[in-house]
Amino acid sequence: MALVVIGGVAAGLSAAARARRLDPHLEIVVLEKGPVISYGACGLPYFVEGRVRKASQLIVYTPEYFHKERRIEVRTGTRVVSISHPRREVALESGGSVRYDRLVIATGARCDTSAFAGSGQPHVFTLHTLDDAECMRRFLDEKRPKRAVVVGAGYIGVEAADALRRNGLRVTVLERSPHALLRDEPWITAAVRKQLEEHGVELRCGVSVQAIEADRVADVPCDLVVVSAGFKPNVEIAAAAGVEAGRSGAIRTSERMETNLNGVYAAGDCAEVTHLVTGRPTYIPLGTTANKAGRVAGANAAGGRERFGGIVGTSIVGIFGMAFATTGLSVEQARREGFSPVAARIEAQARPRYFQGRKTTVELVADRATRRLIGGAVIGEEGAAGRINVIAGALQSRLRVDDFEQLDLAYSPPFATVWDPLLIAAQQLMKEL
Amino acid sequence: MALVVIGGVAAGLSAAARARRLDPHLEIVVLEKGPVISYGACGLPYFVEGRVRKASQLIVYTPEYFHKERRIEVRTGTRVVSISHPRREVALESGGSVRYDRLVIATGARCDTSAFAGSGQPHVFTLHTLDDAECMRRFLDEKRPKRAVVVGAGYIGVEAADALRRNGLRVTVLERSPHALLRDEPWITAAVRKQLEEHGVELRCGVSVQAIEADRVADVPCDLVVVSAGFKPNVEIAAAAGVEAGRSGAIRTSERMETNLNGVYAAGDCAEVTHLVTGRPTYIPLGTTANKAGRVAGANAAGGRERFGGIVGTSIVGIFGMAFATTGLSVEQARREGFSPVAARIEAQARPRYFQGRKTTVELVADRATRRLIGGAVIGEEGAAGRINVIAGALQSRLRVDDFEQLDLAYSPPFATVWDPLLIAAQQLMKEL
């Protein structure tokens, strides 16, 4: 039995490693188009910033490690150009081919810069691979740019803006939609703008970038451009082989992470997963999901029977020390999904003042009919990750706000207030329901 | 209609405030034996430490506030000596009496030092009221003691040890049981000991203190003694009036926080609540529970219909910057309660090393038969409160470890690792089940 995995980053390597654990005899080959594998893509902005000194610090495992310790063959610089499922074979750019019995597609996603004229210029970068980050860092060191434009105010966009600002550049972020962080709440965008502006970064929403000029983008002068827009799942090879995509354009999967083709699995930034709040397929490409879904794909490809229940869409991003964390559905998303959303938002001390506690903002969204929590957001300088995780757990457990309000949360002055902001938000929400 | 509340700290004032909100016409009287009300008792060690400069910083509301803003009459220095329920009347030490239609008993608990001969000496303190803390702080400033003994390694004991050590004293903590923090896990006691010793505090377990001498306790020389043992609910007045206690010795309550006497409620450190993991009454006196249960008692006393579901026993304490957080049942407790507990304990990075992330320890306990999570512990310097709260939420939601392992937790390098320590612990636990 041979397992072939296309893609050697989060989902692909999780799949390969898990398959090996379940079947010591399986032949496992990982085909990676890039020069390195197993890097923490979420750490790239911190390499650009300079906090991570060497790119190698972001690499978790080497091909040698997988070969020696896991008996997994990893071929870097190996691009798959097509899949022939009837022949159970993938064709390589180099001309060769590799046979498989089971296939895991973990081809990831890309930043599609083709929509922007002039994106091929040497001062224009994406921040998707380790190579991208190294090129941008080198450009910063050698060319000493003074002004940057970041196209796209998603997670990578604001992280890149933060990193560049810390390197002394003047930074403007241009976002096509009216909102930052891929969200639709005006209050979150306002909070992001406030935090960026307080640290000298300008955010302009509703700006549609058509072309990148040599010295400006949409009339903003600059000598460095980061494109963090046009994120697209890499599904072309899969699609050509008959693998079906969902409505999002990413590969449709079962809860076993299997595609419509028997024995062909998909996971990571190229695949859909189930949203546990709506019960419907969703495409929210994140490293956590890639690792978990990859693990399940690998287990099943090795003959196991595991399922990936799904996600609730939890994410967090740090902007100059402030955390912006969200999970579940926004009010608008909930309405579109057929819920009758009711929201409450409060601001409260995260810890007592005598422990230098700061204010934190919590929003909770519930469905009026069932009183179930269906979304939440936490913005603050401390404890935001823990608090969004409590909400995420509640969404996954289908908790009603009535039960959430009674959660027995930890209290001691160095860590929290006696009424945690989460509970204050829940009390407020119960008044609204 | 008149509501009388005995006790003006956490539970009592939560009850009074909530009752007022539900019934604007109710006559509400709070009787507090001490000189002040509404102080954050959990902040007392930080006042002793000196971090909280003025005792007034720990006072949240004054009697004047309650009078003016809530039309609640608060009488300080007013000790209730007996309750006559047939006459719906409480008798005061001063000789007067107060009529009630509904009564909330929030008499709290005390540190019973009578078990220790010599506890009346001027260098012996408890740390239960604001007055206690002010006396101890004054003693520190005026007498400049050099060596302290803390009797009892519960939360207040270790917090007092931390506070005194930071004031330059040599500190020894003597604990009668084999374990610290009222727990029964050797690994937690070992971690507490390590943390205390690294900061110059000695912990001796299994030491039964009989007497406090003028210059030593159990052969440990000292010129300051803190007694944080012998914690007992104040139930004598209630018991004399026919209010029944549970097996713990604290007042038995319904989920409406009503006692066996119709119209008489109890909440806070004098009352039992339901443990949601075992489904049985428990006595775990904490400020969070006092506030929540008091609120429910007040609502029902005012004619509302609210319930306090119960607790899962979540607590956290900081010792020299390290958090020790627990929730639910330990393996031993679980066994005694009739579960077949299985535990897994892991150590993992709480955040990436390039963000100065530290190791954190997570233990999860599940029941073998149902695979339900029934307990957990987190020890670490960062994120422990958030992580124990996620476990607490899971206990309250009766989550199986299989679902817990799939939680969609937030990840970004400044906040967590891609596999959160909680998920690594869950994976380990699934292997053991």
Side-chain angles (χ1 to χ4, degrees):
Chain A
M1 280 284 279
L3 166 64
V4 169
V5 177
I6 310 177
V9 194
L13 293 179
S14 292
R18 183 75 179 147
R20 168 57 71 234
R21 188 174 286 276
L22 266 69
D23 183 349
H25 306 297
L26 193 65
E27 186 188 325
I28 306 177
V29 181
V30 176
L31 307 172
E32 165 58 41
K33 66 178 190 291
V36 292
I37 60 159
S38 185
Y39 56 92
C42 301
L44 299 178
Y46 307 99
F47 175 75
V48 170
E49 180 193 330
R51 178 189 293 270
V52 178
R53 298 268 160 207
K54 292 185 206 162
S56 60
Q57 285 178 264
L58 293 178
I59 296 175
V60 188
Y61 295 115
T62 60
E64 292 66 41
Y65 166 86
F66 275 99
H67 179 69
K68 275 195 187 163
E69 302 295 325
R70 306 285 183 104
R71 288 172 296 111
I72 292 170
E73 186 189 342
V74 177
R75 301 195 207 161
T76 54
T78 303
R79 185 186 292 269
V80 171
V81 290
S82 68
I83 300 165
S84 169
H85 192 56
R87 293 199 307 207
R88 300 288 193 278
E89 197 176 270
V90 301
L92 307 178
E93 194 179 32
S94 61
S97 65
V98 184
R99 282 252 324 132
Y100 67 80
D101 296 292
R102 301 272 190 279
L103 181 68
V104 173
I105 301 173
T107 43
R110 66 183 180 278
C111 222
D112 185 4
T113 58
S114 65
F116 308 105
S119 63
Q121 298 170 84
H123 72 299
V124 182
F125 299 89
T126 57
L127 195 43
H128 197 69
T129 67
L130 201 56
D131 190 49
D132 292 342
E134 287 185 297
C135 288
M136 202 191 304
R137 185 66 242 176
R138 207 176 306 121
F139 187 87
L140 285 172
D141 291 337
E142 291 172 3
K143 307 285 181 179
R144 303 268 160 201
K146 297 280 176 289
R147 297 194 55 156
V149 162
V150 176
V151 181
Y155 302 113
I156 297 166
V158 296
E159 285 170 343
D162 177 320
L164 293 170
R165 182 73 193 123
R166 288 181 200 252
N167 276 266
L169 282 79
R170 285 187 61 182
V171 183
T172 300
V173 181
L174 305 177
E175 166 62 41
R176 189 173 58 179
S177 85
H179 297 295
L181 302 185
L182 318 172
R183 300 290 299 185
D184 58 17
E185 298 97 329
W187 74 274
I188 291 183
T189 298
V192 170
R193 172 172 287 115
K194 183 164 180 281
Q195 180 70 358
L196 287 173
E197 285 179 355
E198 279 178 8
H199 293 83
V201 171
E202 188 191 14
L203 171 64
R204 294 193 198 169
C205 290
V207 177
S208 180
V209 171
Q210 307 294 330
I212 296 166
E213 294 168 63
D215 62 348
R216 62 191 55 236
V217 178
D219 287 332
V220 181
C222 60
D223 44 8
L224 168 67
V225 180
V226 181
V227 178
S228 57
F231 204 79
K232 272 189 185 162
N234 293 324
V235 298
E236 290 77 3
I237 296 164
V243 174
E244 287 173 8
R247 282 179 57 188
S248 71
I251 297 171
R252 198 167 63 211
T253 57
S254 70
E255 67 174 15
R256 301 184 69 226
M257 299 314 297
E258 199 167 11
T259 69
N260 61 306
L261 299 186
N262 191 16
V264 178
Y265 301 82
D269 287 0
C270 63
E272 291 184 339
V273 293
T274 300
H275 198 300
L276 289 168
V277 175
T278 65
R280 297 189 189 135
T282 191
Y283 178 61
I284 304 178
L286 289 172
T288 43
T289 307
N291 276 283
K292 285 181 205 154
R295 216 173 113 95
V296 170
N300 292 323
R305 275 209 74 82
E306 297 192 0
R307 55 183 281 280
F308 181 59
I311 62 161
V312 291
T314 312
S315 67
I316 190 166
V317 64
I319 308 177
F320 298 111
M322 177 87 77
F324 294 77
T326 53
T327 190
L329 306 179
S330 71
V331 169
E332 278 309 313
Q333 287 173 331
R335 201 164 279 141
R336 277 201 303 278
E337 294 283 349
F339 293 98
S340 338
V342 180
R345 186 162 80 248
I346 60 99
E347 193 184 63
Q349 286 286 128
R351 295 189 302 152
R353 284 189 187 82
Y354 55 87
F355 271 100
Q356 286 77 51
R358 307 296 189 83
K359 295 264 185 195
T360 196
T361 303
V362 175
E363 178 169 274
L364 292 176
V365 184
D367 178 44
R368 190 183 292 281
T370 59
R371 302 178 73 88
R372 231 180 83 201
L373 282 178
I374 55 176
V378 180
I379 298 179
E381 288 165 288
E382 45 188 3
R387 290 192 173 93
I388 205 70
N389 285 343
V390 173
I391 304 174
L395 299 190
Q396 223 145 333
S397 307
R398 308 178 78 81
L399 222 56
R400 292 159 66 238
V401 63
D402 313 70
D403 297 313
F404 189 85
E405 186 252 350
Q406 300 222 344
L407 285 184
D408 186 10
L409 303 181
Y411 162 60
S412 172
F415 307 102
T417 49
V418 66
W419 287 106
D420 192 276
L422 290 176
L423 302 183
I424 297 173
Q427 288 174 356
Q428 186 59 38
L429 182 53
M430 286 181 68
K431 287 182 201 159
E432 316 275 335
L433 275 166
Chain B
M1 280 284 279
L3 166 63
V4 169
V5 177
I6 310 178
V9 193
L13 293 178
S14 293
R18 184 74 177 149
R20 168 57 71 233
R21 189 174 286 277
L22 266 69
D23 183 350
H25 306 297
L26 194 63
E27 186 190 325
I28 306 177
V29 181
V30 176
L31 307 171
E32 165 57 40
K33 66 177 191 290
V36 292
I37 61 158
S38 186
Y39 56 90
C42 302
L44 299 178
Y46 307 100
F47 175 74
V48 170
E49 181 193 329
R51 178 189 293 269
V52 178
R53 296 269 162 206
K54 291 183 205 163
S56 60
Q57 285 178 264
L58 293 178
I59 296 175
V60 188
Y61 296 115
T62 60
E64 292 66 41
Y65 167 86
F66 275 100
H67 179 68
K68 276 194 187 160
E69 302 295 325
R70 307 285 183 101
R71 289 174 294 110
I72 291 170
E73 185 189 344
V74 177
R75 301 195 207 161
T76 54
T78 303
R79 183 185 293 270
V80 172
V81 289
S82 67
I83 301 165
S84 169
H85 192 55
R87 294 199 307 209
R88 300 288 193 277
E89 198 175 271
V90 301
L92 307 178
E93 193 178 31
S94 62
S97 64
V98 184
R99 282 254 323 135
Y100 67 80
D101 295 292
R102 302 273 190 279
L103 181 68
V104 173
I105 301 173
T107 42
R110 66 183 180 279
C111 223
D112 185 3
T113 57
S114 64
F116 308 105
S119 63
Q121 298 170 83
H123 72 299
V124 182
F125 299 89
T126 57
L127 195 43
H128 197 67
T129 67
L130 202 56
D131 190 50
D132 292 341
E134 287 185 297
C135 289
M136 203 192 303
R137 184 67 241 174
R138 206 175 308 123
F139 187 86
L140 286 172
D141 291 337
E142 292 173 3
K143 306 287 180 176
R144 303 270 161 201
K146 298 280 175 290
R147 298 193 57 159
V149 162
V150 176
V151 181
Y155 302 113
I156 297 166
V158 296
E159 285 170 344
D162 177 320
L164 293 171
R165 182 72 193 126
R166 288 180 200 252
N167 275 268
L169 282 78
R170 284 187 63 183
V171 183
T172 300
V173 181
L174 304 178
E175 165 62 41
R176 189 174 57 180
S177 84
H179 297 296
L181 301 184
L182 317 172
R183 301 289 299 184
D184 57 17
E185 298 97 328
W187 74 273
I188 291 183
T189 298
V192 170
R193 172 172 286 115
K194 182 163 180 284
Q195 180 70 358
L196 286 173
E197 285 179 356
E198 278 178 9
H199 293 82
V201 171
E202 187 191 13
L203 171 64
R204 295 194 198 168
C205 290
V207 177
S208 181
V209 170
Q210 307 294 332
I212 297 167
E213 294 169 64
D215 62 349
R216 63 191 56 235
V217 178
D219 286 332
V220 181
C222 60
D223 44 8
L224 169 66
V225 179
V226 181
V227 178
S228 58
F231 204 79
K232 273 189 186 161
N234 293 324
V235 297
E236 289 77 3
I237 296 164
V243 174
E244 287 174 8
R247 280 180 58 190
S248 70
I251 298 171
R252 199 167 62 209
T253 58
S254 70
E255 67 174 15
R256 300 183 69 227
M257 299 315 296
E258 198 168 10
T259 69
N260 61 304
L261 299 187
N262 191 17
V264 178
Y265 301 82
D269 288 0
C270 63
E272 291 184 339
V273 293
T274 300
H275 198 299
L276 289 168
V277 175
T278 64
R280 297 192 189 135
T282 190
Y283 178 60
I284 304 179
L286 289 172
T288 44
T289 307
N291 276 283
K292 285 180 204 153
R295 216 172 113 92
V296 171
N300 292 323
R305 274 210 74 83
E306 297 191 0
R307 55 182 281 280
F308 181 59
I311 63 162
V312 291
T314 312
S315 69
I316 190 167
V317 64
I319 308 177
F320 299 110
M322 175 88 75
F324 294 77
T326 52
T327 190
L329 307 179
S330 70
V331 168
E332 277 310 312
Q333 287 173 331
R335 200 164 282 144
R336 275 201 303 276
E337 294 284 347
F339 294 99
S340 337
V342 180
R345 185 162 81 246
I346 60 99
E347 193 185 61
Q349 285 287 127
R351 297 190 301 151
R353 284 190 186 79
Y354 56 87
F355 271 99
Q356 286 76 51
R358 306 297 188 83
K359 295 265 186 194
T360 196
T361 303
V362 175
E363 178 169 274
L364 292 175
V365 183
D367 178 46
R368 190 182 293 280
T370 59
R371 301 178 72 89
R372 231 180 85 201
L373 282 178
I374 54 176
V378 180
I379 297 178
E381 288 166 289
E382 45 189 4
R387 290 192 173 94
I388 205 71
N389 285 344
V390 173
I391 304 174
L395 299 191
Q396 223 146 335
S397 306
R398 307 178 79 82
L399 222 55
R400 291 158 66 239
V401 63
D402 313 71
D403 298 313
F404 189 85
E405 186 252 351
Q406 300 221 345
L407 285 184
D408 187 10
L409 304 180
Y411 162 61
S412 173
F415 306 102
T417 48
V418 66
W419 287 107
D420 192 276
L422 290 176
L423 302 183
I424 297 173
Q427 288 175 356
Q428 186 60 37
L429 183 52
M430 286 180 69
K431 286 183 202 158
E432 316 275 336
L433 275 165

